[in-house]
Amino acid sequence: MDTIALNNIRVYAYHGCLPEETKIGSDYRVDLSVEADLNLSAETDQLTDTVDYVHLNKIVKEEMKQPSKLLEHVAKRILDRIFSELTPVKSSRVKVAKLNPPLGGDVEDVNITLSRTRD
């Protein structure tokens, strides 16, 4: 399988369990990779024969706009949409990181990673 990756997608969003997190918001970083057969697009040089990374970025940005308590929930929604909308994708991995989380200490980020494979 071949890989397309989008790294360091930066968004401002309103996720968290604390009321302040959903009111004030925070900076997030998303890393996403998908596996698909890219042989055809490598030959034809046609966007219609590949997984459009603009579409992947749109999915991430739209799902990050929708508040959730848990990063796991956001990541699952991203994966669900990828598999629903992009049939060439065979597997995907998404990492969602909350930058400077409110933990009462100096922590760069907290993050979760979910991976899925098409059945």
Side-chain angles (χ1 to χ4, degrees):
M1 272 302 107
D2 307 306
T3 303
I4 295 174
L6 283 74
N7 296 312
N8 206 17
I9 303 169
R10 294 178 179 263
V11 292
Y12 196 85
Y14 299 87
H15 307 299
C17 293
L18 301 174
E20 309 84 61
E21 294 176 296
T22 57
K23 288 180 186 171
I24 298 169
S26 185
D27 290 307
Y28 292 82
R29 184 183 64 240
V30 179
D31 297 322
L32 172 68
S33 65
V34 298
E35 290 189 345
D37 183 348
L38 303 178
N39 286 319
L40 181 59
S41 59
E43 289 294 326
T44 66
D45 197 28
Q46 296 297 313
L47 182 59
T48 55
D49 295 332
T50 193
V51 177
D52 185 355
Y53 53 79
V54 172
H55 192 156
L56 291 168
N57 189 57
K58 178 182 175 223
I59 290 171
V60 169
K61 295 220 170 175
E62 288 176 356
E63 292 305 324
M64 288 297 290
K65 280 183 187 177
Q66 190 176 353
S68 289
K69 292 179 185 171
L70 301 177
L71 298 180
E72 294 91 319
H73 189 253
V74 181
K76 181 189 179 303
R77 287 199 324 259
I78 291 169
L79 289 171
D80 287 348
R81 280 201 50 201
I82 288 169
F83 284 104
S84 170
E85 297 176 21
L86 300 164
T87 55
V89 173
K90 302 300 181 206
S91 67
S92 183
R93 178 181 171 122
V94 62
K95 176 179 171 184
V96 180
K98 179 183 277 193
L99 307 180
N100 303 309
L103 298 178
D106 186 14
V107 178
E108 181 177 331
D109 72 57
V110 294
N111 64 74
I112 61 93
T113 302
L114 293 183
S115 300
R116 298 288 184 268
T117 301
R118 189 179 298 279
D119 296 329

